[in-house]
Amino acid sequence: MASPPTLPISSQSNAAAASQSQPPIATPAFRAFISRMSSSLRHAFAQRRPWSEMIDRTSMSRPETLAEAYSRIRKNFSYFRVNYLTLIVFALAVSLITHPFSLLVLLGLLASWCFLYLFRPSDQPLVLFGRTFADRETLGILVVLTVFVVFLTSVGSLLISALMVGMAIVCAHGAFRVPEDLFLDDQEPNSSGFLSFLGGAAAPAAAPAVARV
């Protein structure tokens, strides 16, 4: 008696299974995000002004009025915006490094957003503890978790304190730095600054995230 013919296994099913088992960190969206962020950071840091020019003591003087101080801050921020934002990020980094628990909490929250929602393949459902979560349920849980971490723990107060310290340093320097020797004519009002990479780098991740909603 002849044996029944063997059914061929489609290579497409193997490819689909391989794509479903692909970790979020290896997805094209995640790789595109990292590549875009690195290139945007290099472009932003290329606009950084020399630190020696920023801390030139001969260009420091006390403003006579509040209006003059505000004008100096506005002009100096337009010229030193990358340096100023670097100082703010540095203040945040120092605060988080000196508080390891808050740093770990924020890293865990960021990893949850990246691997559970932003860079998770849309055709791969989230399964935790034997339960399958829909995309809206996952988004709701992450939003509630973010609100809890930022506003109901010490992490939020730490971030706000670090931002206030960084802004105080920026405002103090901007008010006392005389901007008359700065070449402000080559500054475009709508040119990209240090944080412009967030919008551009997040574009590959935003598309699949919006498609889930």
Side-chain angles (χ1 to χ4, degrees), residues 22-23 27 29 42 54 66 88 110 117 120 123 130 151 154 161 171 182 185:
Q22 188 180 29
T27 57
R42 286 194 298 268
M54 181 178 174
L66 289 178
I88 295 175
L110 178 62
Y117 190 77
R120 180 174 56 83
D123 57 348
F151 295 102
S154 60
S161 300
C171 292
L182 304 180
D185 294 336

Side-chain angles (χ1 to χ4, degrees), residues 75-158:
K75 293 179 180 179
N76 284 319
F77 185 81
S78 177
Y79 188 80
F80 294 111
R81 61 181 178 276
V82 177
N83 302 71
Y84 284 161
L85 293 171
T86 303
L87 287 175
I88 295 175
V89 172
F90 179 76
L92 286 171
V94 171
S95 299
L96 291 175
I97 291 175
T98 54
H99 297 79
F101 176 76
S102 299
L103 177 61
L104 292 176
V105 170
L106 284 180
L107 290 177
L109 182 63
L110 178 62
S112 300
W113 273 100
C114 290
F115 298 131
L116 299 182
Y117 190 77
L118 293 177
F119 301 111
R120 180 174 56 83
S122 58
D123 57 348
Q124 182 177 349
L126 177 64
V127 180
L128 292 177
F129 306 106
R131 185 183 185 278
T132 302
F133 292 87
D135 292 327
R136 291 183 180 274
E137 292 176 328
T138 305
L139 178 61
I141 293 174
L142 289 174
V143 169
V144 172
L145 181 62
T146 302
V147 171
F148 176 79
V149 169
V150 173
F151 295 102
L152 300 180
T153 65
S154 60
V155 175
S157 60
L158 176 65

Side-chain angles (χ1 to χ4, degrees), residues 9 45 68 149 151-152 194 197 207 210:
I9 300 176
F45 276 111
E68 182 183 0
V149 169
F151 295 102
L152 300 180
F194 179 77
F197 74 92
V210 172

Side-chain angles (χ1 to χ4, degrees), residues 57-74:
R57 296 182 60 182
T58 60
S59 300
M60 297 291 180
S61 67
R62 188 177 63 179
E64 298 295 335
T65 61
L66 289 178
E68 182 183 0
Y70 173 76
S71 177
R72 288 185 181 183
I73 292 174
R74 183 173 54 83

